[in-house]
Amino acid sequence: MHATPPNDERPVILTGDRTTGPLHLGHYVGSLRNRVALQHSHRQYLLLADAQALTDNAHDPAKVRSNVMEVALDYLAAGIDPNATTICVQSALPALAELTMLYLNFVTVARLERNPTIKDEIQARSFGRDIPAGFLCYPAAQAADITAFRATVVPVGEDQAPMIEQTNEIVRRINRQVGRGLLVEARALIPAMGRLPGLDGRAKMSKSQGNTISLSATDAEITDAVLRMYTDPDHIRTSDPGRVEGNVVFTYLDAFDSDREAVADFKARYIRGGLGDMTVKRRLATVLCEIIGPIRERRMTLERDRGYVLEILRSGTSHARDVTTATHTEVRDALGLFSF
Amino acid sequence: MHATPPNDERPVILTGDRTTGPLHLGHYVGSLRNRVALQHSHRQYLLLADAQALTDNAHDPAKVRSNVMEVALDYLAAGIDPNATTICVQSALPALAELTMLYLNFVTVARLERNPTIKDEIQARSFGRDIPAGFLCYPAAQAADITAFRATVVPVGEDQAPMIEQTNEIVRRINRQVGRGLLVEARALIPAMGRLPGLDGRAKMSKSQGNTISLSATDAEITDAVLRMYTDPDHIRTSDPGRVEGNVVFTYLDAFDSDREAVADFKARYIRGGLGDMTVKRRLATVLCEIIGPIRERRMTLERDRGYVLEILRSGTSHARDVTTATHTEVRDALGLFSF
């Protein structure tokens, strides 16, 4: 299933998700859709990052575990082909822990603390100094993930770019020490499409804020969510001129409606006045139902065959174990550690 | 070789050494001698802590590697019986890295920084904020070591006692979360004999300060070292009264000379006046040559058969891998992570 031809020269992509909840429309547009598009032109690994999820969810491992399955269902339902993409479970790959422990010696505490992603998340989660040590260390863990798969392309949001830079610093430090290009540097692939705002217009979609649409939403749920969407608060009567910037309905149309002309026409009429919110929302609801419908149906079918999904995880994790163990062995040998 | 009878109820001891240099007389009196004495009444694991050595020696892994063999030679030469004690290599035990990564989520950065051992060592090594992250994390790694072997007794110097307390905090936190006594708490076994001072009277013996005697020293080297020892600077002529407190020669006689009466008699005569430094030093040199001689001889024999020593490490590490992997699997299952 995962036999890679020895002369496979496609670039290696590593990406994945923390397993803290099922995926939603924000993940679809921000990453899932790209992964489906890239999975044949690239050698793609999707990491179900349960170990990383534990860095701030150690009190609730049951949630982390059950979402391994939920996210895997989302992947497959969205069109990830397990014959093309390797889906694997992070905590079941010992080489990632071993490489992390090694890399932690090549990065200072001060450097980890300066990582802007870590800084921001510490602030956003109001962790203060009481952050779990695992959370502080996660840039090193991410460096282990990326390098273990020898990934050269890592799709990340703009805010995650410093993580890739930190990985490359560790790569360069180790390569300099062993005197050769043992590990490969990776580059961030930042999606053209920025982050999708929440239904309420907030910058971030998140299940906990109830401002998102899940990939298993029914048509009624989708329509209901769209009707609640934030538009232009000054656009009261249909005849009023309206704003499309910051208007979530138009942002979503831009993201999801493939009929660019129809969207441009809607925008012009909305700005001029004479187009009601309800008309635009109905169109968006139709577009989203068409996208989510088939995902939801596939998801429901897969949910009834969890044994099949588990088998995909088992097989993918086994292949990933071979790949990551080979890298760890190379690093260990290059540093001259014992191997028994 | 390492088959443990299923009803083996001897307490489990975990101890070991960072592999940064061969052992010396300070190790012999502070730990090695006790390990030889305890290896039959206890189930004893000796960890060659190369991964821990890397936390502040990542720039010189070759030193760390070569000292795995040097320390193993010291163990065997000093009387560690590989049929009674399991000698194993830390970096070759993936479960230790995996447990460390888990435990890092159960301890905050603030708590690691408050660890007095970490605090002191940061100060002593003038690391400042630029400590390697692996060094800050090493209390969690030590908790992984101790719990992975289910050790209940951990011989440590007095200054290391807070490490055991930190391990037990993690044990209690995880046991509370899983609602049962999954991991066992350990107690520090603090040796009756305090730390042996250096030849120059400094508190700490260390190879880098040239104030120690190695376990492979020749009789001439031992005698020469003893003659250089710090005594009582005010004891100039044989007839002068002398001090035995702080007098390294007498501290060493207390530690090594089994003839307590002879030592008591020497002390009385020295205090009174009439006993020259040279006489006392000659006695100490004889005593030390008698102790080190057989160790040195065994070490030389073993050095000629490194294949045999490697086989002991391989076999011990293999046994330790079984033990530690079993613990990691139990922890992973109890937390409910996936296992593939």
Side-chain angles (χ1 to χ4, degrees), chain A residues 108-114 122 127-133 136-137, chain B residues 104 107-123 127-140 162-163 166 169-170:
Chain A
T108 65
V109 173
R111 178 65 184 90
L112 289 176
E113 286 171 343
R114 274 201 311 273
I122 286 172
F127 271 138
R129 289 304 294 154
D130 279 336
I131 46 168
L136 176 70
C137 294
Chain B
L104 282 173
V107 61
T108 64
V109 172
R111 178 65 185 90
L112 289 175
E113 285 170 344
R114 275 201 309 274
N115 184 305
T117 315
I118 290 290
K119 245 190 196 162
D120 292 356
E121 299 211 15
I122 286 173
Q123 208 160 31
F127 270 138
R129 290 301 297 153
D130 280 337
I131 45 167
F135 190 79
L136 176 68
C137 295
Y138 105 72
M163 285 286 191
Q166 181 137 42
E169 278 178 33
I170 293 173

Side-chain angles (χ1 to χ4, degrees), chain A residues 193-206:
Chain A
M193 167 78 55
R195 180 177 266 172
L196 201 64
L199 305 179
D200 52 5
R202 290 196 207 204
K204 203 170 170 177
M205 265 196 153
S206 93

Side-chain angles (χ1 to χ4, degrees), chain B residues 28-214:
Chain B
Y28 180 77
V29 72
S31 58
L32 267 180
R33 199 164 56 168
N34 292 325
R35 296 171 187 174
V36 173
L38 294 171
Q39 66 184 334
H40 295 288
S41 56
H42 291 69
R43 214 183 319 162
Q44 183 167 258
Y45 296 94
L46 281 187
L47 194 58
L48 294 161
D50 59 342
Q52 190 188 313
L54 282 176
T55 63
D56 56 346
N57 287 280
H59 57 286
D60 195 2
K63 176 180 83 175
V64 171
R65 179 203 168 95
S66 67
N67 281 300
V68 166
M69 178 53 92
E70 293 307 313
V71 176
L73 285 167
D74 288 328
Y75 287 170
L76 296 168
I80 293 295
D81 172 3
N83 292 303
T85 294
T86 302
I87 307 176
C88 52
V89 179
Q90 192 180 37
S91 72
L93 301 171
L96 301 184
E98 296 185 273
L99 283 170
T100 303
M101 291 300 291
L102 277 176
Y103 293 174
L104 282 173
N105 304 326
F106 289 92
V107 61
T108 64
V109 172
R111 178 65 185 90
L112 289 175
E113 285 170 344
R114 275 201 309 274
N115 184 305
T117 315
I118 290 290
K119 245 190 196 162
D120 292 356
E121 299 211 15
I122 286 173
Q123 208 160 31
R125 296 162 195 231
S126 44
F127 270 138
R129 290 301 297 153
D130 280 337
I131 45 167
F135 190 79
L136 176 68
C137 295
Y138 105 72
Q142 205 155 45
D145 297 343
I146 294 170
T147 56
F149 287 98
R150 305 198 157 279
T152 53
V153 182
V154 182
V156 288
E158 203 155 357
D159 54 339
Q160 292 273 321
M163 285 286 191
I164 312 299
E165 189 39 38
Q166 181 137 42
T167 292
N168 290 339
E169 278 178 33
I170 293 173
V171 165
R172 287 191 291 267
R173 214 181 135 190
I174 291 179
N175 285 351
R176 202 161 51 233
Q177 179 160 317
V178 303
R180 64 188 169 92
L182 174 68
L183 299 171
V184 287
E185 291 192 41
R187 66 181 177 82
L189 178 68
I190 294 164
M193 168 77 56
R195 181 177 264 171
L196 201 64
L199 305 179
D200 51 5
R202 288 196 208 205
K204 202 170 170 177
M205 265 196 152
S206 93
K207 205 188 155 197
S208 61
Q209 299 196 2
N211 65 352
T212 182
I213 299 175
S214 92

Side-chain angles (χ1 to χ4, degrees), chain A residues 14-17 45-49 75 88 90 93 96 145 149:
Chain A
L14 176 71
T15 169
D17 293 278
Y45 296 95
L46 280 187
L47 195 57
L48 294 160
Y75 287 170
C88 52
Q90 192 180 38
L93 302 171
L96 301 184
D145 297 342
F149 287 98

Side-chain angles (χ1 to χ4, degrees), chain A residues 272-335:
Chain A
R272 198 189 313 134
L275 181 62
D277 275 6
M278 200 50 94
T279 312
V280 194
K281 283 182 168 177
R282 286 229 179 80
R283 166 146 196 123
L284 177 61
T286 306
V287 167
L288 292 183
C289 287
E290 272 168 19
I291 292 173
I292 294 183
I295 298 179
R296 182 186 60 236
E297 296 307 316
R298 276 196 296 270
R299 205 181 191 286
M300 281 171 65
T301 309
L302 288 160
E303 271 175 23
R304 285 190 294 268
D305 194 0
R306 288 179 178 242
Y308 165 73
V309 179
L310 273 178
E311 192 39 49
I312 287 170
L313 296 187
R314 197 180 312 276
S315 154
T317 303
S318 163
H319 172 59
R321 198 177 291 124
D322 292 345
V323 172
T324 55
T325 301
T327 304
H328 174 244
T329 302
E330 257 193 83
V331 172
R332 189 176 56 190
D333 290 352
L335 290 177

Side-chain angles (χ1 to χ4, degrees), chain A residues 58 65 104 107 133 177 321 336 340, chain B residues 58 65 107 133-134 177 321 336 340:
Chain A
R65 180 206 167 94
L104 282 173
V107 60
Q177 180 161 315
R321 198 177 291 124
F340 289 119
Chain B
R65 179 203 168 95
V107 61
Q177 179 160 317
R321 200 178 289 124
F340 288 119

